[in-house]
Amino acid sequence: MALGLLLSYSMSDSNTTNFTNPSTFILLGIPGLEAAHIWMSIPFCAMYIIAILGNFAIMFIVKREPSLHEPMYYFLCMLAVSDMVLSTSILPKMLSIFWFNSRDISFYACLTQLYFIHCFSAIESGIFLAMAFDRYVAICDPLRHFNILTNPMVVKTGLAVGLRGGLLILPYPLLARQWPYCRTNIIPHSFCEHIAVVKLACADIRISSYYSLSVAFFVIGIDVLFITVSYTQILRAIFRLPTKDARLKTFGTCSSHVCVILAFYIPTLFSSITHRFSHNVPLHFQILIANMYLLVPPMLNPIIYGVRTKQIRDRLLHLFTRKWT
């Protein structure tokens, strides 16, 4: 079915064989599972609604409650913004493919989507690193926590994370824009993923491929390394506490961070490995995994923090109880 769809699009579009920069690309959604697009849209749409409402609720509670005006919750709000932008970058277009068969996306809209997806993925990784450093200082050097992580420092950290992600990912669309596309404009994917787009070019794309691989190793590799070091020091500090209750209470303050970090990096790593190195993995499975790693963490993050963080859970219950009363 996927092959037939590819052929039908190729036959119906006479401009897919001889052009330099196409005016539009055609997104196929999830090739091989076209018959299930409508049914698959239901969980995707539900995840998107939960992600938007949950992350908005987190930001609303932090803004309304002065007791939550602390570095950890400021970073949590940054994470909520990143989650909403990341999921909004792909879901509306994906649902238009599933519901209305609207597969066309303009060349520059595709490059914009490509940029936002990878930029905010890098930003999210940087926010996790900042949150790990915040927990490290709070647990290993609590007397200096608010002296080190002042409000100006939190703002500077957020700006640095945003600039790092924005500048490192900027060559992605710039390089993709310069390649000639003379084979086809059909992208066998549900969104404009970087490698899926540049693979359509009829040129040597090793610069794009090597650069994207270098950025992935630099961003994810460096962030995971420092996050691991931070939590190793945190665990050492926890085990040095004198009582079991103190150890459990302290570990509880960072357990939610560990959960969201694992929910982000494990699918990201698995998707990257299957996309680049596992040629025997079915295409529809690769695309499903790519969708999951962009949609599941934004949905899970507010749920995990809402359930496991006592301050947010109490404020949320208080808010709903007061509204109900």
Side-chain angles (χ1 to χ4, degrees):
M1 183 180 291
L3 179 60
L5 191 59
L6 280 165
L7 291 173
S8 66
Y9 271 112
S10 299
M11 294 174 63
S12 64
D13 192 343
S14 61
N15 294 326
T16 59
T17 58
N18 189 19
F19 51 81
T20 301
N21 278 329
S23 59
T24 61
F25 282 119
I26 297 172
L27 294 167
L28 293 185
I30 304 179
L33 298 178
E34 291 84 3
H37 274 179
I38 292 293
W39 296 107
M40 295 172 64
S41 70
I42 297 173
F44 285 152
C45 185
M47 285 189 287
Y48 180 61
I49 292 172
I50 293 171
I52 295 298
L53 294 180
N55 285 293
F56 181 79
I58 293 288
M59 292 191 296
F60 178 77
I61 291 170
V62 173
K63 183 179 183 299
R64 286 285 300 271
E65 297 295 333
S67 63
L68 299 181
H69 293 177
E70 299 178 2
M72 183 179 86
Y73 300 105
Y74 291 147
F75 288 131
L76 184 55
C77 288
M78 295 180 196
L79 182 65
V81 172
S82 177
D83 281 339
M84 289 193 292
V85 174
L86 194 58
S87 55
T88 302
S89 297
I90 66 167
L91 243 296
K93 181 57 185 177
M94 190 189 304
L95 292 179
S96 73
I97 296 172
F98 290 170
W99 290 346
F100 310 113
N101 203 33
S102 176
R103 303 175 186 271
D104 294 355
I105 183 171
S106 72
F107 181 74
Y108 289 103
C110 184
L111 295 185
T112 301
Q113 185 189 54
L114 179 156
Y115 177 76
F116 271 84
I117 290 170
H118 293 282
C119 174
F120 279 89
S121 294
I123 289 174
E124 191 146 330
S125 181
I127 294 172
F128 285 133
L129 176 58
M131 296 172 79
F133 177 71
D134 169 70
R135 289 299 85 201
Y136 166 75
V137 177
I139 293 173
C140 298
D141 197 1
L143 296 179
R144 300 180 58 202
H145 181 220
F146 290 106
N147 292 329
I148 295 174
L149 285 165
T150 60
N151 287 345
M153 179 57 68
V154 171
V155 172
K156 290 177 184 178
T157 302
L159 290 175
V161 167
L163 283 174
R164 185 191 71 159
L167 293 177
L168 284 176
I169 302 302
L170 187 58
Y172 280 25
L174 295 181
L175 288 171
R177 181 178 179 272
Q178 76 171 7
W179 302 129
Y181 296 88
C182 56
R183 293 172 181 159
T184 180
N185 63 342
I186 299 173
I187 303 175
H189 214 294
S190 56
F191 57 87
C192 291
E193 197 273 335
H194 175 238
I195 296 299
V197 173
V198 297
K199 276 183 177 179
L200 303 182
C202 52
D204 187 352
I205 61 166
R206 282 182 293 181
I207 295 176
S208 287
S209 182
Y210 291 157
Y211 181 76
S212 65
L213 197 59
S214 300
V215 169
F217 276 115
F218 175 76
V219 172
I220 296 179
I222 295 296
D223 290 353
V224 169
L225 174 63
F226 282 106
I227 288 171
T228 303
V229 171
S230 296
Y231 277 101
T232 300
Q233 296 300 317
I234 288 171
L235 288 174
R236 291 178 61 186
I238 289 175
F239 288 127
R240 285 199 298 262
L241 292 174
T243 65
K244 181 179 179 181
D245 289 341
R247 289 194 292 268
L248 290 175
K249 182 178 180 180
T250 306
F251 184 76
T253 62
C254 58
S255 60
S256 54
H257 299 279
V258 175
C259 291
V260 297
I261 287 170
L262 293 176
F264 177 78
Y265 284 113
I266 290 177
T268 301
L269 180 63
F270 186 74
S271 176
S272 178
I273 291 173
T274 57
H275 188 72
R276 292 178 181 274
F277 303 112
S278 184
H279 301 291
N280 295 325
V281 177
L283 179 60
H284 66 268
F285 183 75
Q286 295 181 34
I287 296 174
L288 281 174
I289 293 297
N291 289 328
M292 289 297 103
Y293 99 81
L294 290 176
L295 296 176
V296 172
M299 176 194 69
L300 287 181
N301 292 346
I303 295 175
I304 292 172
Y305 280 108
V307 171
R308 297 192 64 87
T309 306
K310 184 177 184 300
Q311 294 90 331
I312 294 178
R313 184 176 67 245
D314 291 346
R315 296 299 185 276
L316 191 61
L317 291 174
H318 176 71
L319 179 65
F320 278 109
T321 303
R322 187 171 59 185
K323 291 289 185 183
W324 180 260
T325 304

